[in-house]
Amino acid sequence: MFGIVGIVLTFAMVFGGYVLAGGKMGVILYSLPFEMMMIAGAAIGSYLLSNDSHTLKRTLGGIIKAFKGPKWTEADHQDVLCLMFQLLKIARENPVALEQHIENPAESAIFTAYPRLLADHDVVSLIADTLRSASLNYDDPYQVEEMLSRRLATLREEAMHVPHALQTMADALPALGIVAAVLGVIKTMSSIDQPPAVLGKMIGGALVGTFLGVFLAYGFVAPLAGRLGGVIRQDLAFFDVIKSVLIAGLHQHATNLCVEVGRQTVPDHVRPSFNTLEAALRDLKKAA
């Protein structure tokens, strides 16, 4: 919602200020299709050239994600803490019974109770793989922590490919705007015998290219890349919560304490309160 408001406000203020200052939209509107064709076409072409198919496939989804905002809510953080509580409790009481849950999460009564978590492959695989490793006596907390850190670093690097690619495009747009402007100047120079009024319009049209490149770079694409990067970082913080609970569990802390360690890791604006989480855990104990 705020993204749409930001775009509307940017366009309204820039072009509104131009018109109020006495600027004429005619020259801009006449040159806009041609300049946009050159600048946007070159930007998209270079984007295709500089990125692999995996990044290209994720670009549209990334743009949509930037406008939708972070995936994980406060309720999701409470759910993952409750899920981890149940799994760690089973791992402590009956490690054999844990196997059916981590080997086939889609049929696990615990995982299926949290459909949003189950639908995320990265969340499920991170939890299942780590608990499986622990069940194979791979229980050195420091080894597991290093393993999880490397895995999350890889996940973070892959997730940030699209924001980095968009930022690279934003950095290139002003230069592409200059390219379009130079072509406009070349066109103007070929008509140097025309009257000043005609030449003025042609030069003005050429300068639209410079304006458009800078405007698209700093008014739209760069903010979009920054917004997407921020959303991704917030979503990746969800995995840090899971990691902290798993590591606390391997240190053989009490299950409730492991969950509290995870709760403290949750970003403040989506962190469930201690009392709310405790009430949810009490309900799980009663239902067990």
Side-chain angles (χ1 to χ4, degrees):
M1 179 62 182
F2 286 109
I4 301 297
V5 172
I7 292 174
V8 172
L9 185 63
T10 299
F11 275 83
M13 292 298 101
V14 170
F15 290 102
Y18 171 74
V19 171
L20 290 175
K24 305 296 183 183
M25 290 296 296
V27 175
I28 294 178
L29 294 176
Y30 174 79
S31 303
L32 187 63
F34 311 108
E35 302 292 336
M36 181 64 80
M37 177 180 176
M38 289 185 281
I39 297 170
I44 294 172
S46 62
Y47 191 86
L48 295 174
L49 178 63
S50 60
N51 294 288
D52 57 26
S53 59
H54 181 67
T55 302
L56 296 175
K57 291 176 182 178
R58 298 177 66 176
T59 298
L60 180 58
I63 293 173
I64 295 173
K65 185 182 187 70
F67 286 99
K68 289 178 65 177
K71 176 180 181 179
W72 304 113
T73 64
E74 180 178 330
D76 294 321
H77 284 84
Q78 178 169 307
D79 284 347
V80 79
L81 292 173
C82 290
L83 170 66
M84 297 304 299
F85 173 83
Q86 291 175 279
L87 292 175
L88 289 179
K89 192 169 184 293
I90 293 175
R92 299 275 176 86
E93 297 174 352
N94 188 358
V96 175
L98 179 66
E99 184 175 345
Q100 61 180 318
H101 297 289
I102 62 177
E103 295 300 336
N104 197 357
E107 296 182 6
S108 164
I110 296 178
F111 277 97
T112 53
Y114 308 100
R116 275 178 56 83
L117 302 179
L118 182 61
D120 192 291
H121 174 266
D122 290 326
V123 169
V124 174
S125 64
L126 180 68
I127 295 173
D129 290 348
T130 305
L131 291 175
R132 185 184 300 110
S133 298
S135 69
L136 296 173
N137 294 324
Y138 187 38
D139 55 1
D140 183 340
Y142 301 103
Q143 277 188 308
V144 176
E145 185 171 5
E146 182 180 359
M147 176 189 71
L148 286 174
S149 296
R150 290 179 179 178
R151 180 166 181 167
L152 294 183
T154 300
L155 185 66
R156 184 173 290 106
E157 181 180 356
E158 292 178 351
M160 293 300 291
H161 281 171
V162 174
H164 289 160
L166 289 174
Q167 184 58 54
T168 301
M169 177 189 283
D171 294 339
L173 278 169
L176 294 175
I178 293 174
V179 170
V182 169
L183 290 174
V185 172
I186 293 172
K187 175 187 173 185
T188 302
M189 295 304 293
S190 67
S191 304
I192 197 69
D193 58 338
Q194 297 296 316
V198 174
L199 291 175
K201 290 182 179 179
M202 295 180 70
I203 293 173
L207 292 176
V208 170
T210 303
F211 157 75
L212 194 59
V214 175
F215 178 68
L216 290 176
Y218 300 112
F220 183 67
V221 181
L224 180 65
R227 168 63 175 167
L228 178 57
V231 170
I232 290 174
R233 282 189 289 272
Q234 290 184 59
D235 283 347
L236 290 175
F238 193 75
F239 295 92
D240 291 325
V241 175
I242 297 172
K243 172 186 172 183
S244 64
V245 177
L246 290 170
I247 296 301
L250 288 172
H251 278 286
Q252 300 301 314
H253 295 308
T255 309
N256 281 69
L257 180 58
C258 296
V259 172
E260 176 59 19
V261 169
R263 191 188 73 86
Q264 294 287 351
T265 310
V266 178
D268 184 68
H269 65 286
V270 288
R271 181 186 303 148
S273 69
F274 177 83
N275 291 333
T276 301
L277 181 59
E278 278 295 302
L281 295 179
R282 281 197 298 270
D283 292 340
L284 289 176
K285 293 175 184 177
K286 292 177 181 177

